[in-house]
Amino acid sequence: MALKARTGRPKPRPREGAGRDPSEGPGKPVPLSVLGITGSIGDSAVSLARCYPDRVRVVAMAAGRNVEKLKALVEEFRPEIVSVRGESERSRLLELLRESGRGSCPEISIGPGGLETVAAAGPEGTVVLSAVSGAAGLKPTWAALKAGRRVALANKESMVLAGDFIMPRMGRLVVPVDSEHSAVFQALGGTLDAKGAERLILTCSGGPFFGRGADELERVTSAEALAHPSWSMGPKITVDSATLLNKGLEVIEAHHLFQMPWDRIRVVVHPQSVIHSMVEHADGQVTAVMGPADMRAPISYALGFPERWPLLGGGGAKLPGYAPLAFDGALTFAEPDRRSFPCLRLAEEAGRSGGGAPAVLNAAGEVAVQAFLRGEIGFMGIPRLMGECLHRLGAAKLLRLEDALEEDLRARSLALQLLNGMRGRA
Ligand code: NDP
Ligand code: MG
């Protein structure tokens, strides 16, 4: 649901790579390739595909290691092609599919190359939901764009590492899925063009530790960090929501997606997660997009754009477990605390530094969060490790997409080395 000023804006035009003209009604289902189908965003996409087979048909899927879950999805959706992490996962998937003997096997590709193959597969008009977690999502996102696919982009790391490279070349094919960026996209009237906007205001739930000081945060556990108050997501992004690194990555994502200068992107803590983000217009009026804290809303919007799917049931199937907003409480706003949550500040600084700094920030963050989840470092060890990597590696100049991936590898290797020194001091 969007609260919009009545400006008589022209109807948004479908973006390139779109499956069909919305004026023709649901018609034929749009072919969909889901990268990261076994994850949290993947679950939401599967739920939508089950409920709206007249709108979307899963034709390709990529997973990592969760072969059992993938096998069930292959049997349900019968894709033409799938990919998994490596040879052992492919053998296991083949074995499971043969054992159950339910129909023919899809083509199975493996590794990073397999992800890219799935990203570019499918018939003309296939939409790609890019939802692998981490920097591993960049190459397949790029492969999908190069193949001329519309990309519903959940993988924010693609923008963080290579937004400068992707947006000028392929931005016309990207529709945001991240809830904040989807909200901004909607508040702008269904476009990434934010020229008329004064500021983008990204909302932030504050995570489970909102209001706590740095000293207290030294002692929080991974179980506490994984208990997000309003969103259910994969483990990496859930910890990032607790450190506010997620919001920092989203500031960088917004800068690239909407070509917005750094000093015109503001972060506001809004613990109720009802407003998903806002656009402040030149006249000071603000368009806010509100809705259920359920990723199926922005995913369906990106898949169907410019059409909205009837998730509430009007004239179509009602999405199970999807509840409309209750309008039963206060909406509050606060400034984020960048002293107790230094990851937000580190990300904003890395974004402004540009070049390889965002890739370093992200890689160090991925290593640090895994170490925190394994109990090897404390919660505040995450920003310490990231800060040290940024300090040592700086902002290398990037000329090609591959340069961002090289920075990613350099930062991972340094972060692992530094981690050895930090272990035991957790
Ligand atoms: P999850 O951890 O739940 O899922 C990650 C998915 O990526 C899984 O399918 C996993 O496969 C797959 N995967 C990970 N690494 C690889 C690899 N190297 N090769 C192939 N597949 C791989 O993550 P989320 O769904 O939470 O997040 C996905 C992306 O969407 C992230 O970039 C996140 O920032 C973004 N996002 C997520 C939101 C959410 O609500 N969850 C909201 C907004 C953005 P497997 O499990 O089979 O190993
Ligand atoms: Mg988000």
Side-chain angles (χ1 to χ4, degrees):
M1 182 186 348
L3 294 182
K4 289 186 183 170
R6 288 169 196 266
T7 54
R9 268 197 205 97
K11 201 173 148 203
R13 280 184 295 126
R15 292 174 68 69
E16 274 185 55
R20 65 164 180 256
D21 178 352
S23 59
E24 291 168 0
K28 263 179 74 179
V30 171
L32 176 66
S33 172
V34 184
L35 312 180
I37 195 157
T38 43
S40 161
I41 293 284
D43 286 346
S44 294
V46 164
S47 163
L48 286 164
R50 279 186 188 133
C51 198
Y52 300 102
D54 54 331
R55 288 173 189 270
V56 80
R57 182 171 62 91
V58 180
V59 296
M61 48 178 78
R65 298 209 159 94
N66 194 342
V67 177
E68 277 71 20
K69 188 165 176 179
L70 181 63
K71 174 241 175 196
L73 293 167
V74 166
E75 289 183 343
E76 179 174 358
F77 292 104
R78 308 237 160 254
E80 288 143 31
I81 179 164
V82 307
S83 79
V84 287
R85 192 97 167 212
E87 192 49 60
S88 63
E89 285 82 9
R90 172 166 47 193
S91 306
R92 179 80 186 124
L93 179 61
L94 274 171
E95 188 185 315
L96 288 171
L97 288 168
R98 283 200 194 112
E99 267 169 29
S100 77
R102 292 176 52 194
S104 58
C105 266
E107 183 186 334
I108 306 173
S109 52
I110 57 170
L115 260 177
E116 291 180 53
T117 304
V118 168
E124 181 78 25
T126 299
V127 174
V128 177
L129 175 60
S130 172
V132 163
S133 54
L138 171 57
K139 288 283 279 282
T141 301
W142 182 242
L145 292 169
K146 272 197 305 186
R149 304 298 191 220
R150 181 205 281 194
V151 171
L153 186 68
N155 178 259
K156 63 192 77 186
E157 293 86 352
S158 294
M159 279 298 129
V160 170
L161 268 75
D164 272 336
F165 183 87
I166 292 173
M167 289 312 287
R169 293 168 176 83
M170 295 291 181
R172 65 189 187 283
L173 292 172
V174 175
V175 185
V177 165
D178 211 347
S179 59
E180 295 75 5
H181 308 76
S182 173
V184 168
F185 183 80
Q186 293 177 57
L188 290 169
T191 174
L192 294 174
D193 183 354
K195 275 192 211 75
E198 188 65 24
R199 274 194 306 181
L200 308 184
I201 301 164
L202 304 184
T203 52
C204 166
S205 72
F209 306 134
F210 174 53
R212 299 208 198 172
D215 289 350
E216 255 185 288
L217 292 174
E218 294 281 1
R219 293 182 296 277
V220 297
T221 65
S222 56
E224 289 173 288
L226 286 170
H228 194 278
S230 39
W231 293 93
S232 158
M233 308 177 284
K236 165 67 168 56
I237 186 174
T238 304
V239 174
D240 286 354
S241 299
T243 59
L244 299 202
L245 175 59
N246 183 48
K247 210 47 54 179
L249 297 176
E250 289 180 352
V251 168
I252 302 175
E253 183 184 11
H255 167 78
H256 291 299
L257 280 175
F258 302 104
Q259 301 289 297
M260 192 48 110
W262 298 105
D263 56 357
R264 285 162 58 193
I265 304 172
R266 183 178 171 192
V267 174
V268 171
V269 177
H270 166 53
Q272 296 80 22
S273 299
V274 167
I275 295 177
H276 298 308
S277 277
M278 301 176 256
V279 172
E280 184 177 51
H281 303 285
D283 60 0
Q285 302 199 64
V286 174
T287 302
V289 172
M290 312 200 291
D294 187 321
M295 285 308 294
R296 291 176 298 179
I299 294 170
S300 68
Y301 185 77
L303 300 184
F305 177 77
E307 197 185 355
R308 287 178 191 275
W309 292 11
L311 306 195
L312 294 174
K318 183 181 180 324
L319 193 59
Y322 188 79
L325 273 186
F327 295 103
D328 62 352
L331 301 185
T332 59
F333 305 95
E335 271 301 307
D337 173 358
R338 289 178 173 76
R339 216 179 60 79
S340 300
F341 297 89
C343 287
L344 174 57
R345 180 178 49 75
L346 288 172
E348 289 168 333
E349 287 169 4
R352 283 174 191 261
S353 303
V360 171
L361 171 96
N362 181 71
E366 288 190 26
V367 172
V369 168
Q370 292 313 321
F372 170 66
L373 289 174
R374 288 194 301 266
E376 292 170 3
I377 58 173
F379 188 74
M380 296 306 275
I382 299 173
R384 276 198 280 276
L385 186 64
M386 292 169 60
E388 192 55 31
C389 287
L390 282 164
H391 175 67
R392 293 197 192 194
L393 295 178
K397 201 168 165 136
L398 306 184
L399 297 174
R400 305 162 309 148
L401 190 89
E402 285 70 24
D403 294 341
L405 291 166
E406 273 171 28
E407 267 323 273
D408 171 83
L409 287 181
R410 228 155 67 89
R412 265 170 219 277
S413 138
L414 174 62
L416 287 169
Q417 207 182 308
L418 293 171
L419 192 59
N420 280 331
M422 287 169 84
R423 279 195 187 108
R425 286 195 274 127

